[in-house]
Amino acid sequence: MFALSARRLGARLGVLAVAQLMIATPVFASEAQGGSVNLLEPNAGLMFWTLVIFLLLCVVLAKFAFKPLFAAVEAREKALEDAIEGAKRDRAEAEAVLAQQRAQLENARNEAQAIIADSRGVAEKMRADLLAQTKHQQEEMIEQARRAIESEKASAIADLRREAIDLAIAGASRVIEQNLDSAGNRKIVESFLASLDSKAAR
């Protein structure tokens, strides 16, 4: 930093010195010739010193001004190139992060769809199981009701048979007007009713 400011100071001093020489040269030339100088009139001495001063100015500028100027331009270009490279790296990293986030989002979406599908499958299985269980319970209830009806039917038929036997014995006793053996008569009537049942089954 200190070396750079010293160079800048030296370049400024050199430029000032050359400018003073350029301003003073025509005056020296006019004083040497002893008269006024017409700047529009060609003068070999003036042209020579102007060329010498111009060359000196070019050397001084090349040594003290152009090098720092070119160095500053190169540093600026390098800084711009570094900034562009950094921007490219940042963009590549951002694209990579964006691609990763998109992949994670897609994975999360697929997982959510899989969970929904599994939930639907579980719900359908539970529904099917509940329907099967309900149907099984209904069938059991129907079977129990059928067995109860059959049992009640058999009990009613047995009651009706007993009542029919009792009525038949009572009627027969009145017809023949005598008291028959109830056990023997009951067997006869039961065998008769059983024969009727066998005929009805045929």
Side-chain angles (χ1 to χ4, degrees), residues 36-49:
S36 63
V37 177
N38 186 4
L39 295 176
L40 297 177
E41 183 180 334
N43 188 345
L46 180 62
M47 292 173 64
F48 172 76
W49 286 110

Side-chain angles (χ1 to χ4, degrees), residues 112-125:
Q113 290 178 354
I115 290 170
I116 291 171
D118 291 342
S119 300
R120 286 179 181 171
V122 170
E124 289 294 330
K125 186 177 181 302

